[in-house]
Amino acid sequence: MVTGKPMFSAEQIRIRVSELGSGISADYAGREILAIGILKGAFIFYADLIRQIKAPITNDFIIATSYVKTSSTSKLDIFYDAREEIKGRHVLLIDDIIDTGLSLSRIRDKVLQAEPESLKICCFLDKKACRKIDVPVDYIGFEIPDAFIVGYGLDYENQFRNLPYISTFKKKS
Ligand code: IMP
Ligand code: MG
């Protein structure tokens, strides 16, 4: 059971996602986007965001994990890699949250090796104070303090992703 405090309501999330979508739509006017979601955490944000983008989009995903319980590890496991051709495309990587930056940095390097025409990154949440490696993030929903959170796609042991709001997490013992 979640016993933490709500951080962003469903309404705050909806407004911010819509603002991000408008910014991305303006930046990509006249171009086609290859939107690559980083699963599992980004699946709800991804689905909401792409519906706010007014540019042609092709969808793909990378399934990766680096978290064990509540802390990030430097080992990144990729279980599913994007199938779309990346070379020459305008790639937008979409992730739920950036913490140490280790996962996103490795995924970014991998995508860059495939020679996209352009690469931008959109993360809904940013735990800036926790960064261990610098990663250029082009679009950020909210900057948040160093707290473990769940909801809106984010999990603790693969649960609580379905909460429609974002909450800090404390395990009830
Ligand atoms: P990083 O490699 O440390 O930046 O970790 C990024 C990934 O860890 C994110 O894409 C999330 O899937 C997961 N993560 C980081 N912080 C949290 C959190 O507070 N709650 C749930 N998952 C998190
Ligand atoms: Mg993630």
Side-chain angles (χ1 to χ4, degrees), residues 23-124:
I24 293 169
S25 303
D27 292 351
Y28 283 90
R31 288 186 293 164
E32 203 170 315
I33 300 173
L34 171 57
I36 302 182
I38 301 171
L39 301 182
K40 300 179 203 168
F43 78 114
I44 293 179
F45 173 51
Y46 182 99
D48 282 353
L49 182 67
I50 60 166
R51 286 178 291 171
Q52 299 299 323
I53 298 176
K54 290 172 191 63
I57 298 187
T58 304
N59 305 105
D60 211 338
F61 300 93
I62 290 174
I63 305 183
T65 188
S66 67
Y67 249 63
V68 177
K69 296 229 171 162
T70 57
S71 59
S72 202
T73 65
S74 56
K75 191 174 171 286
L76 180 78
D77 285 324
I78 294 186
F79 300 105
Y80 173 90
D81 210 347
R83 292 285 193 270
E84 285 287 331
E85 172 92 63
I86 284 173
K87 193 175 166 74
R89 311 282 288 275
H90 295 290
V91 175
L92 178 64
L93 276 177
I94 299 174
D95 207 353
D96 52 353
I97 186 167
I98 176 163
D99 181 5
T100 62
L102 293 168
S103 341
L104 206 47
S105 157
R106 292 184 56 179
I107 290 170
R108 176 176 178 272
D109 287 349
K110 208 170 170 296
V111 171
L112 284 175
Q113 278 168 19
E115 300 176 20
E117 176 70 25
S118 70
L119 174 63
K120 285 193 176 196
I121 298 179
C122 176
C123 271
F124 192 53

Side-chain angles (χ1 to χ4, degrees), residues 108-168:
R108 176 176 178 272
D109 287 349
K110 208 170 170 296
V111 171
L112 284 175
Q113 278 168 19
E115 300 176 20
E117 176 70 25
S118 70
L119 174 63
K120 285 193 176 196
I121 298 179
C122 176
C123 271
F124 192 53
L125 301 168
D126 182 3
K127 284 190 200 169
K128 213 170 191 165
C130 301
R131 204 74 91 253
K132 288 189 179 157
I133 187 163
D134 196 36
V135 187
V137 181
D138 303 277
Y139 306 99
I140 288 167
F142 297 107
E143 203 174 306
I144 62 165
D146 179 15
F148 193 79
I149 52 158
V150 293
Y152 198 60
L154 288 125
D155 72 305
Y156 170 75
E157 292 196 333
N158 221 2
Q159 289 192 324
F160 311 110
R161 296 189 194 274
N162 60 323
L163 281 182
Y165 57 95
I166 291 171
S167 171
T168 60

